[in-house]
Amino acid sequence: MNLKEIEIFLQVAQTGSLTQAAHRLDMSPMSVSRRLAALEASLGVRLLHRTTRAVSLTPEGAEFTPYARTMLEAEQSARVLFSSGRQGAGGQLRVTAPSGLGQRILVPLIPTLLAENPDMKVDLQLSDEVVDIVAQGFDVAIRVAPLRDSNLIARKIADNPRVLCAAPAYLQRHGRPQRLADLASFACLRLSNVLQWTFSDDGQTTGISIDGRFSCSSVEGVRSLCKAGLGLAQLTHWDIREELRRGELVAIELQDVQPQALAVWALFPSHRYLPLRVGVFLDALAKAMG
């Protein structure tokens, strides 16, 4: 396949317009159309639906997009590898991560990452929703929740067990829960989309329904109210690591269950080629998380 034709295809897919893609590539719309037709002929499938008003991907075009992006990035990285002025990784790194972990761990990494890689750009999307990283063009997703079967490659970054915690002042006023059933007698602060707190019981996952007086869509909100002494919370180790170290929060161990073992994972599409910028980012993240 012709790499210039692949570049044209990706521009058209991104803009949804032959005219806009032609303008970006300093080509005529007719030339763009011809090169797209040549790519489709070489693949033997139609990649784009064309109308007088818009251009959209066919199912085959959507399936081909991540492979097209990988081929173009591999070509660009090979050129950078042998360029005389090479300094670090280049290109745009697109990352999606949970908001709490992203704000606390990833954002502080960015200044050094950009300083050490002058040709790199970073697009960091913080969301607690699970997104389709292939369809949305992300290089890597950072996730904490237990992994589901998928076609993504997973790399473990760090252990990140769930932690039942509270402020020392709250425990002085109300005492400590000793067993799982005791939680029903305590004020509980939970994440809005987490209806159960999960633990491990001899290697098996077990949980208890939580209906506290306060719920919040963000880790930051739950952590803040927990520090203020309003109740118990179940967050992950990296959500409250600094608060535990400073004594602002205390980890609570129950007698009949153990903390659920989670981890921080990096997920990326299952292509053989991994852009240099992704490897640089993952190395920096693994170093920051010990």
Side-chain angles (χ1 to χ4, degrees), residues 176-222:
R176 286 176 178 247
Q178 300 298 316
R179 304 180 69 83
L180 186 62
D182 296 343
L183 296 181
S185 302
F186 287 80
C188 296
L189 316 170
R190 66 172 180 85
L191 292 166
S192 300
N193 61 347
V194 178
L195 303 180
Q196 282 196 335
W197 284 356
T198 310
F199 299 85
S200 178
D201 183 5
D202 291 330
Q204 300 297 315
T205 299
T206 186
I208 183 171
S209 297
I210 297 298
D211 184 22
R213 295 181 62 195
F214 175 79
S215 62
C216 183
S217 61
S218 75
V219 168
E220 292 87 344
V222 173

Short mmCIF file of all heavy atoms in Angstrom, two decimals, residues 176-222:
data_model
loop_
_atom_site.label_atom_id
_atom_site.label_comp_id
_atom_site.label_asym_id
_atom_site.label_seq_id
_atom_site.Cartn_x
_atom_site.Cartn_y
_atom_site.Cartn_z
N ARG A 176 -14.27 1.67 65.29
CA ARG A 176 -13.91 1.00 64.04
C ARG A 176 -14.83 -0.18 63.77
O ARG A 176 -15.14 -0.94 64.69
CB ARG A 176 -12.47 0.46 64.11
CG ARG A 176 -11.37 1.50 64.02
CD ARG A 176 -10.04 0.82 64.21
NE ARG A 176 -8.93 1.75 64.10
CZ ARG A 176 -8.03 1.73 63.13
NH1 ARG A 176 -8.11 0.82 62.18
NH2 ARG A 176 -7.05 2.61 63.12
N PRO A 177 -15.20 -0.40 62.52
CA PRO A 177 -15.90 -1.65 62.19
C PRO A 177 -14.91 -2.81 62.31
O PRO A 177 -13.72 -2.68 62.00
CB PRO A 177 -16.33 -1.43 60.74
CG PRO A 177 -15.35 -0.43 60.20
CD PRO A 177 -14.98 0.46 61.35
N GLN A 178 -15.42 -3.95 62.78
CA GLN A 178 -14.56 -5.13 62.95
C GLN A 178 -14.83 -6.18 61.88
O GLN A 178 -13.91 -6.90 61.48
CB GLN A 178 -14.79 -5.74 64.34
CG GLN A 178 -14.48 -4.79 65.49
CD GLN A 178 -13.02 -4.37 65.51
OE1 GLN A 178 -12.12 -5.19 65.33
NE2 GLN A 178 -12.77 -3.08 65.72
N ARG A 179 -16.07 -6.28 61.44
CA ARG A 179 -16.45 -7.28 60.47
C ARG A 179 -17.25 -6.63 59.35
O ARG A 179 -17.74 -5.49 59.47
CB ARG A 179 -17.24 -8.41 61.14
CG ARG A 179 -16.50 -9.07 62.30
CD ARG A 179 -17.31 -10.17 62.94
NE ARG A 179 -17.46 -11.31 62.06
CZ ARG A 179 -16.54 -12.27 61.92
NH1 ARG A 179 -15.41 -12.24 62.60
NH2 ARG A 179 -16.76 -13.27 61.10
N LEU A 180 -17.43 -7.37 58.24
CA LEU A 180 -18.09 -6.81 57.06
C LEU A 180 -19.50 -6.33 57.41
O LEU A 180 -19.93 -5.25 56.98
CB LEU A 180 -18.14 -7.87 55.96
CG LEU A 180 -18.67 -7.41 54.59
CD1 LEU A 180 -17.81 -6.32 54.00
CD2 LEU A 180 -18.75 -8.60 53.63
N ALA A 181 -20.24 -7.10 58.20
CA ALA A 181 -21.62 -6.73 58.54
C ALA A 181 -21.70 -5.45 59.34
O ALA A 181 -22.74 -4.78 59.36
CB ALA A 181 -22.29 -7.88 59.29
N ASP A 182 -20.62 -5.07 60.02
CA ASP A 182 -20.62 -3.86 60.84
C ASP A 182 -20.77 -2.59 60.01
O ASP A 182 -21.17 -1.55 60.53
CB ASP A 182 -19.33 -3.76 61.66
CG ASP A 182 -19.19 -4.88 62.68
OD1 ASP A 182 -20.20 -5.53 62.97
OD2 ASP A 182 -18.06 -5.09 63.16
N LEU A 183 -20.44 -2.66 58.73
CA LEU A 183 -20.47 -1.45 57.90
C LEU A 183 -21.86 -0.84 57.81
O LEU A 183 -22.00 0.37 57.59
CB LEU A 183 -19.95 -1.77 56.48
CG LEU A 183 -18.49 -2.22 56.37
CD1 LEU A 183 -18.12 -2.48 54.91
CD2 LEU A 183 -17.55 -1.18 56.98
N ALA A 184 -22.88 -1.65 58.00
CA ALA A 184 -24.25 -1.14 57.94
C ALA A 184 -24.52 -0.12 59.04
O ALA A 184 -25.46 0.69 58.93
CB ALA A 184 -25.24 -2.30 58.04
N SER A 185 -23.70 -0.12 60.11
CA SER A 185 -23.92 0.79 61.23
C SER A 185 -23.09 2.07 61.12
O SER A 185 -23.14 2.91 62.03
CB SER A 185 -23.58 0.08 62.55
OG SER A 185 -24.36 -1.09 62.70
N PHE A 186 -22.34 2.23 60.05
CA PHE A 186 -21.46 3.38 59.90
C PHE A 186 -21.90 4.24 58.71
O PHE A 186 -22.52 3.75 57.76
CB PHE A 186 -20.02 2.92 59.67
CG PHE A 186 -19.36 2.37 60.90
CD1 PHE A 186 -19.60 1.07 61.31
CD2 PHE A 186 -18.51 3.16 61.66
CE1 PHE A 186 -19.01 0.55 62.45
CE2 PHE A 186 -17.90 2.66 62.81
CZ PHE A 186 -18.15 1.35 63.20
N ALA A 187 -21.58 5.53 58.79
CA ALA A 187 -21.81 6.43 57.66
C ALA A 187 -20.82 6.07 56.56
O ALA A 187 -19.62 5.96 56.82
CB ALA A 187 -21.62 7.88 58.09
N CYS A 188 -21.33 5.88 55.36
CA CYS A 188 -20.48 5.46 54.25
C CYS A 188 -20.54 6.49 53.12
O CYS A 188 -21.62 7.00 52.80
CB CYS A 188 -20.91 4.09 53.73
SG CYS A 188 -20.70 2.75 54.93
N LEU A 189 -19.42 6.78 52.55
CA LEU A 189 -19.28 7.73 51.45
C LEU A 189 -18.89 6.93 50.22
O LEU A 189 -17.85 6.25 50.24
CB LEU A 189 -18.21 8.78 51.78
CG LEU A 189 -18.24 9.36 53.20
CD1 LEU A 189 -16.98 10.18 53.46
CD2 LEU A 189 -19.49 10.20 53.40
N ARG A 190 -19.68 6.99 49.16
CA ARG A 190 -19.38 6.11 48.02
C ARG A 190 -19.37 6.88 46.71
O ARG A 190 -19.93 7.97 46.59
CB ARG A 190 -20.41 4.98 47.94
CG ARG A 190 -21.83 5.43 47.61
CD ARG A 190 -22.74 4.23 47.37
NE ARG A 190 -24.10 4.65 47.07
CZ ARG A 190 -24.52 5.00 45.85
NH1 ARG A 190 -23.68 4.97 44.82
NH2 ARG A 190 -25.77 5.38 45.65
N LEU A 191 -18.74 6.28 45.73
CA LEU A 191 -18.79 6.78 44.37
C LEU A 191 -20.18 6.48 43.78
O LEU A 191 -20.76 5.43 44.06
CB LEU A 191 -17.71 6.12 43.51
CG LEU A 191 -16.26 6.51 43.87
CD1 LEU A 191 -15.27 5.58 43.22
CD2 LEU A 191 -15.98 7.95 43.46
N SER A 192 -20.69 7.39 42.98
CA SER A 192 -22.06 7.29 42.50
C SER A 192 -22.34 6.00 41.75
O SER A 192 -23.42 5.42 41.86
CB SER A 192 -22.38 8.48 41.60
OG SER A 192 -22.24 9.70 42.30
N ASN A 193 -21.37 5.54 40.96
CA ASN A 193 -21.60 4.34 40.14
C ASN A 193 -21.14 3.06 40.83
O ASN A 193 -21.10 2.00 40.21
CB ASN A 193 -20.91 4.49 38.79
CG ASN A 193 -19.41 4.65 38.93
OD1 ASN A 193 -18.90 4.89 40.03
ND2 ASN A 193 -18.68 4.54 37.83
N VAL A 194 -20.79 3.14 42.11
CA VAL A 194 -20.35 1.96 42.87
C VAL A 194 -21.39 1.69 43.95
O VAL A 194 -21.42 2.35 44.99
CB VAL A 194 -18.96 2.17 43.50
CG1 VAL A 194 -18.55 0.94 44.31
CG2 VAL A 194 -17.93 2.46 42.42
N LEU A 195 -22.26 0.71 43.71
CA LEU A 195 -23.35 0.40 44.63
C LEU A 195 -22.94 -0.63 45.67
O LEU A 195 -23.63 -0.81 46.68
CB LEU A 195 -24.57 -0.10 43.86
CG LEU A 195 -25.11 0.85 42.79
CD1 LEU A 195 -26.32 0.23 42.10
CD2 LEU A 195 -25.46 2.20 43.40
N GLN A 196 -21.83 -1.32 45.43
CA GLN A 196 -21.32 -2.30 46.38
C GLN A 196 -19.86 -2.03 46.68
O GLN A 196 -19.10 -1.61 45.79
CB GLN A 196 -21.45 -3.72 45.83
CG GLN A 196 -22.84 -4.32 45.89
CD GLN A 196 -22.79 -5.83 45.69
OE1 GLN A 196 -21.87 -6.37 45.09
NE2 GLN A 196 -23.79 -6.52 46.22
N TRP A 197 -19.46 -2.26 47.92
CA TRP A 197 -18.05 -2.27 48.25
C TRP A 197 -17.56 -3.71 48.18
O TRP A 197 -18.22 -4.63 48.68
CB TRP A 197 -17.82 -1.70 49.64
CG TRP A 197 -17.93 -0.19 49.65
CD1 TRP A 197 -18.14 0.63 48.57
CD2 TRP A 197 -17.83 0.65 50.79
NE1 TRP A 197 -18.17 1.95 48.97
CE2 TRP A 197 -17.98 2.00 50.32
CE3 TRP A 197 -17.62 0.44 52.15
CZ2 TRP A 197 -17.94 3.10 51.18
CZ3 TRP A 197 -17.57 1.53 53.01
CH2 TRP A 197 -17.72 2.84 52.53
N THR A 198 -16.43 -3.90 47.54
CA THR A 198 -15.97 -5.24 47.20
C THR A 198 -14.74 -5.60 48.01
O THR A 198 -13.83 -4.77 48.20
CB THR A 198 -15.64 -5.31 45.70
OG1 THR A 198 -16.74 -4.80 44.96
CG2 THR A 198 -15.38 -6.74 45.28
N PHE A 199 -14.70 -6.86 48.48
CA PHE A 199 -13.59 -7.37 49.26
C PHE A 199 -13.23 -8.77 48.75
O PHE A 199 -13.89 -9.30 47.86
CB PHE A 199 -13.96 -7.44 50.75
CG PHE A 199 -14.32 -6.12 51.36
CD1 PHE A 199 -15.63 -5.62 51.27
CD2 PHE A 199 -13.37 -5.36 52.02
CE1 PHE A 199 -15.97 -4.40 51.82
CE2 PHE A 199 -13.70 -4.14 52.58
CZ PHE A 199 -15.00 -3.65 52.48
N SER A 200 -12.21 -9.35 49.35
CA SER A 200 -11.80 -10.70 49.02
C SER A 200 -12.00 -11.59 50.24
O SER A 200 -11.66 -11.21 51.36
CB SER A 200 -10.32 -10.72 48.60
OG SER A 200 -9.88 -12.03 48.32
N ASP A 201 -12.57 -12.76 50.00
CA ASP A 201 -12.81 -13.72 51.08
C ASP A 201 -12.20 -15.05 50.66
O ASP A 201 -12.79 -15.80 49.87
CB ASP A 201 -14.31 -13.86 51.34
CG ASP A 201 -14.64 -14.79 52.49
OD1 ASP A 201 -13.70 -15.27 53.15
OD2 ASP A 201 -15.83 -15.07 52.73
N ASP A 202 -11.00 -15.33 51.16
CA ASP A 202 -10.26 -16.54 50.79
C ASP A 202 -10.13 -16.67 49.28
O ASP A 202 -10.36 -17.75 48.70
CB ASP A 202 -10.94 -17.78 51.37
CG ASP A 202 -10.82 -17.83 52.89
OD1 ASP A 202 -9.82 -17.31 53.41
OD2 ASP A 202 -11.72 -18.38 53.54
N GLY A 203 -9.81 -15.58 48.62
CA GLY A 203 -9.58 -15.59 47.18
C GLY A 203 -10.83 -15.38 46.36
O GLY A 203 -10.74 -15.21 45.14
N GLN A 204 -12.01 -15.41 46.97
CA GLN A 204 -13.26 -15.19 46.26
C GLN A 204 -13.75 -13.76 46.50
O GLN A 204 -13.62 -13.23 47.61
CB GLN A 204 -14.33 -16.18 46.73
CG GLN A 204 -13.95 -17.64 46.51
CD GLN A 204 -13.79 -17.97 45.03
OE1 GLN A 204 -14.62 -17.60 44.21
NE2 GLN A 204 -12.73 -18.71 44.70
N THR A 205 -14.31 -13.15 45.47
CA THR A 205 -14.82 -11.79 45.58
C THR A 205 -16.15 -11.79 46.30
O THR A 205 -17.04 -12.59 45.99
CB THR A 205 -14.99 -11.16 44.19
OG1 THR A 205 -13.72 -11.12 43.55
CG2 THR A 205 -15.51 -9.74 44.30
N THR A 206 -16.28 -10.91 47.28
CA THR A 206 -17.54 -10.75 48.00
C THR A 206 -17.80 -9.26 48.18
O THR A 206 -16.87 -8.45 48.11
CB THR A 206 -17.50 -11.45 49.38
OG1 THR A 206 -18.79 -11.38 49.98
CG2 THR A 206 -16.49 -10.78 50.31
N GLY A 207 -19.06 -8.90 48.36
CA GLY A 207 -19.37 -7.49 48.47
C GLY A 207 -20.54 -7.23 49.39
O GLY A 207 -21.25 -8.16 49.80
N ILE A 208 -20.75 -5.96 49.69
CA ILE A 208 -21.86 -5.53 50.53
C ILE A 208 -22.47 -4.28 49.91
O ILE A 208 -21.74 -3.39 49.48
CB ILE A 208 -21.41 -5.28 51.99
CG1 ILE A 208 -22.60 -4.91 52.87
CG2 ILE A 208 -20.33 -4.21 52.05
CD1 ILE A 208 -22.26 -4.86 54.35
N SER A 209 -23.79 -4.24 49.83
CA SER A 209 -24.46 -3.07 49.26
C SER A 209 -24.30 -1.87 50.19
O SER A 209 -24.43 -2.00 51.42
CB SER A 209 -25.95 -3.37 49.03
OG SER A 209 -26.10 -4.40 48.09
N ILE A 210 -24.03 -0.72 49.59
CA ILE A 210 -23.80 0.50 50.36
C ILE A 210 -24.84 1.54 49.96
O ILE A 210 -25.03 1.81 48.78
CB ILE A 210 -22.37 1.04 50.10
CG1 ILE A 210 -21.33 0.04 50.59
CG2 ILE A 210 -22.18 2.40 50.77
CD1 ILE A 210 -21.36 -0.23 52.07
N ASP A 211 -25.51 2.09 50.97
CA ASP A 211 -26.49 3.15 50.71
C ASP A 211 -26.24 4.28 51.70
O ASP A 211 -27.01 4.50 52.63
CB ASP A 211 -27.92 2.60 50.84
CG ASP A 211 -28.96 3.64 50.47
OD1 ASP A 211 -28.61 4.59 49.74
OD2 ASP A 211 -30.11 3.50 50.93
N GLY A 212 -25.12 4.96 51.52
CA GLY A 212 -24.73 6.01 52.46
C GLY A 212 -25.48 7.31 52.21
O GLY A 212 -26.25 7.45 51.26
N ARG A 213 -25.21 8.30 53.08
CA ARG A 213 -25.87 9.60 52.98
C ARG A 213 -25.23 10.48 51.92
O ARG A 213 -25.79 11.50 51.53
CB ARG A 213 -25.81 10.32 54.33
CG ARG A 213 -26.61 9.62 55.42
CD ARG A 213 -26.53 10.38 56.71
NE ARG A 213 -27.10 11.72 56.56
CZ ARG A 213 -26.91 12.71 57.44
NH1 ARG A 213 -26.15 12.51 58.49
NH2 ARG A 213 -27.47 13.89 57.24
N PHE A 214 -24.04 10.10 51.43
CA PHE A 214 -23.36 10.92 50.43
C PHE A 214 -22.77 10.04 49.35
O PHE A 214 -22.13 9.02 49.63
CB PHE A 214 -22.23 11.74 51.07
CG PHE A 214 -21.41 12.53 50.08
CD1 PHE A 214 -21.88 13.73 49.57
CD2 PHE A 214 -20.17 12.07 49.65
CE1 PHE A 214 -21.14 14.46 48.65
CE2 PHE A 214 -19.43 12.79 48.72
CZ PHE A 214 -19.92 13.99 48.24
N SER A 215 -23.00 10.43 48.10
CA SER A 215 -22.33 9.79 46.96
C SER A 215 -21.85 10.89 46.03
O SER A 215 -22.41 12.00 46.01
CB SER A 215 -23.28 8.83 46.23
OG SER A 215 -24.39 9.53 45.70
N CYS A 216 -20.82 10.59 45.26
CA CYS A 216 -20.23 11.60 44.38
C CYS A 216 -19.67 10.90 43.14
O CYS A 216 -19.20 9.76 43.23
CB CYS A 216 -19.12 12.37 45.10
SG CYS A 216 -18.37 13.70 44.14
N SER A 217 -19.71 11.59 42.02
CA SER A 217 -19.23 10.99 40.77
C SER A 217 -17.71 11.00 40.68
O SER A 217 -17.15 10.36 39.79
CB SER A 217 -19.81 11.75 39.57
OG SER A 217 -19.41 13.10 39.60
N SER A 218 -17.02 11.71 41.56
CA SER A 218 -15.56 11.81 41.46
C SER A 218 -14.88 11.29 42.72
O SER A 218 -15.41 11.41 43.83
CB SER A 218 -15.13 13.26 41.22
OG SER A 218 -15.25 14.02 42.40
N VAL A 219 -13.69 10.72 42.52
CA VAL A 219 -12.87 10.29 43.65
C VAL A 219 -12.53 11.47 44.54
O VAL A 219 -12.51 11.35 45.77
CB VAL A 219 -11.59 9.61 43.12
CG1 VAL A 219 -10.57 9.41 44.25
CG2 VAL A 219 -11.91 8.28 42.46
N GLU A 220 -12.27 12.63 43.94
CA GLU A 220 -11.88 13.80 44.71
C GLU A 220 -12.93 14.17 45.74
O GLU A 220 -12.62 14.53 46.88
CB GLU A 220 -11.61 14.99 43.78
CG GLU A 220 -10.39 14.84 42.90
CD GLU A 220 -10.68 14.12 41.58
OE1 GLU A 220 -11.76 13.48 41.50
OE2 GLU A 220 -9.86 14.20 40.66
N GLY A 221 -14.22 14.12 45.34
CA GLY A 221 -15.29 14.47 46.26
C GLY A 221 -15.39 13.52 47.43
O GLY A 221 -15.52 13.94 48.59
N VAL A 222 -15.32 12.21 47.16
CA VAL A 222 -15.39 11.22 48.23
C VAL A 222 -14.18 11.36 49.16
O VAL A 222 -14.32 11.33 50.39
CB VAL A 222 -15.47 9.80 47.64
CG1 VAL A 222 -15.36 8.74 48.75
CG2 VAL A 222 -16.77 9.62 46.88
#
